[in-house]
Amino acid sequence: MSNFPIVIAGAACAGFLQGLTGFGFSLVSLSFWAWVLDPLLAATLAVFGGWVGQMLAAFTVRRKANWRHVLPFVLGGLAGLPLGLRVLPHLDPLLFKAFLGIVLAVWCPIMLVAPRLPRLTVGGRGADGCIGIVGGAMGAMGGFSGVIPTLWCTLRGFDRDTQRGVIQNFNLTMLTVTLVTYCATGVVTRDMLPSFAIVAPIVLVTSLLGGRVYVGVSDITFRRMVLGTLTASGIAMLVASVPKLL
């Protein structure tokens, strides 16, 4: 694989962040991989790597799930998955890069200020389910299942353990169903397996390291650094892709 170093760097950085914060694998990995890999391979690797990290977290970073909070997201996510699966085979490289750039450039700054925004109390479980639909669709398109639900939980004012419990269980469910569907529909091919074999051990090691560092490092400071870097990456992708699309 000619892009071996980029694949390793993306998996390592994304695995570490996911171990530290419990989310963000696809955003970080694709900020590396979207530059050099075919969109379908990049999206599939992001789903697989995120799934490996979430499986590890299920056993090493356990959070008691309040299923009253989790279930609306999961049911909505399952309904949204088919929408994303319909879009996935038709992803254009430039559109994919522009889409990811928009997600990074918009979502990351919002996440920086979200804790200071007024708490949302409207909509109840119905609104949570709608957010789950969006998360499920984005998950099928490349493992972005946790992006919108994470922001929503923050705006809801969920405490740290409740939010991690919701996102961890939601992401694990969405990524598992997405990966199984990829395999069943032929999205995952034999040619992708060597890339899977490279990504899996890197994610396992770096996720464990991230989980250990989490204990002694300020999560707020680190998140600011990561989100700032991802924002810059998203802007760079927009600069590279939008002029060509126009």
Side-chain angles (χ1 to χ4, degrees), residues 68-74 76 119-132 152-153 155-156 158 166:
R68 183 172 60 86
H69 290 303
V70 175
L71 198 57
F73 288 96
V74 170
R119 181 177 298 185
L120 289 179
T121 57
V122 298
R125 296 182 188 180
D128 294 344
C130 291
I131 294 298
W152 182 254
C153 288
L155 294 175
R156 280 289 204 202
F158 288 174
V166 168

Side-chain angles (χ1 to χ4, degrees), residues 91-185:
L91 283 178
D92 175 85
L94 283 177
L95 286 174
F96 179 72
K97 192 177 292 185
F99 169 75
L100 181 59
I102 291 171
V103 171
L104 291 170
V106 173
W107 179 77
C108 294
I110 292 175
M111 283 300 296
L112 283 171
V113 303
R116 298 191 294 272
L117 295 177
R119 181 177 298 185
L120 289 179
T121 57
V122 298
R125 296 182 188 180
D128 294 344
C130 291
I131 294 298
I133 292 175
V134 177
M138 292 180 66
M141 292 171 60
F144 299 107
S145 55
V147 173
I148 300 302
T150 298
L151 174 59
W152 182 254
C153 288
T154 302
L155 294 175
R156 280 289 204 202
F158 288 174
D159 63 73
R160 185 180 181 182
D161 285 342
T162 299
Q163 177 167 321
R164 183 140 190 174
V166 168
I167 298 304
Q168 186 168 301
N169 286 283
F170 176 77
N171 277 340
L172 181 57
T173 303
M174 294 304 105
L175 292 171
T176 299
V177 174
T178 299
L179 192 58
V180 169
T181 305
Y182 278 8
C183 293
T185 57

Side-chain angles (χ1 to χ4, degrees), residues 43-69:
T44 306
L45 270 183
V47 170
F48 174 73
W51 176 80
V52 170
Q54 291 295 341
M55 284 295 292
L56 179 66
F59 294 99
T60 59
V61 188
R62 298 187 181 184
R63 287 289 181 272
K64 185 177 180 181
N66 183 337
W67 287 99
R68 183 172 60 86
H69 290 303

